[in-house]
Amino acid sequence: MEFSDISRAIQTDAALVAFLNVLLQQLGLPVPAVPTLMVIGSLAVMPSTLLFALAAAVAASVIADAIWYGAGRMFGYRLLNGLCRLSINPGSCVTQTEARFVRYGVWSLVIAKFIPGFSTVAPPIAGSLKMPITSFLLASGIGAALWAGLALTAGWLARDELLRLVNFFNGNGTSFIAVAASIIGVWILWKFWQKYRF
């Protein structure tokens, strides 16, 4: 698939692309959503496109958070220990997350999307601590709206620069995908090496 096909798909199905990308990322897959949201913002012709993409991103994020919340409520700290095993420092992962959550309470869910790693473990810890579901969903929705809204707005404001970048990648899509795949591969190997060394 050429990069031009990807940008065309983003333009025609912005809300669907935003929904799927955010859902997969928030479920824990290593799929970056912020660059996609920024590209959607830069390619949006009408403000309604941004609103639909924002609604889709918020819905996907809240759905993923609700799944993690339910898993945390059902499995408690066993789930957190499993998630933290994937981190570089599993010993401090649970205690740091719990301390952050206890300190900031419901507000930790609002800012969780802006902290890599914390956005995945905050919903299950909320479930483990039996946070009321209405408070959880409200905080999750506000956090998702702020996070996705900032990414879409940044894309909209920097659309000229991003469109130049998209046009560059349209001409060099295959090379870009090969370089991006190599960088991601090296990054994953480096993370595994760090975890092994620790």
Side-chain angles (χ1 to χ4, degrees):
M1 178 182 272
E2 291 294 320
F3 197 82
S4 56
D5 298 331
I6 295 170
S7 61
R8 204 174 303 116
I10 289 173
Q11 270 184 308
T12 55
D13 297 316
L16 179 62
V17 170
F19 181 85
L20 292 175
N21 194 189
V22 170
L23 182 67
L24 292 174
Q25 185 205 15
Q26 296 301 309
L27 286 174
L29 294 176
V31 183
V34 170
T36 305
L37 292 173
M38 288 180 71
V39 170
I40 289 170
S42 69
L43 295 174
V45 179
M46 300 177 66
S48 60
T49 306
L50 289 176
L51 290 175
F52 287 132
L54 177 62
V58 170
S61 184
V62 171
I63 289 168
D65 284 354
I67 291 169
W68 282 119
Y69 174 89
R73 200 162 178 112
M74 190 177 298
F75 300 110
Y77 283 91
R78 287 176 301 172
L79 174 68
L80 284 170
N81 287 329
L83 285 172
C84 286
R85 274 195 204 108
L86 300 173
S87 76
I88 292 170
N89 188 354
S92 64
C93 174
V94 174
T95 54
Q96 284 179 355
T97 304
E98 186 178 24
R100 214 179 269 154
F101 197 86
V102 168
R103 182 174 179 189
Y104 297 108
V106 74
W107 290 106
S108 62
L109 289 167
V110 174
I111 62 164
K113 301 285 182 242
F114 297 95
I115 304 170
F118 187 52
S119 62
T120 305
V121 292
I125 206 164
S128 299
L129 295 174
K130 307 285 193 275
M131 175 184 265
I133 187 72
T134 51
S135 301
F136 171 79
L137 291 175
L138 182 63
S140 174
I142 291 170
L146 289 171
W147 170 74
L150 283 172
L152 288 165
T153 303
W156 174 261
L157 294 174
R159 63 185 170 276
D160 294 336
E161 292 77 14
L162 286 172
L163 286 174
R164 274 196 289 274
L165 198 60
V166 167
N167 288 331
F168 170 77
F169 288 140
N170 278 338
N172 305 292
T174 307
S175 304
F176 167 72
I177 291 171
V179 169
S182 301
I183 290 170
I184 291 169
V186 168
W187 181 79
I188 289 171
L189 288 173
W190 180 69
K191 284 293 189 184
F192 275 119
W193 180 77
Q194 269 192 316
K195 184 174 171 54
Y196 173 75
R197 192 182 62 158
F198 180 81

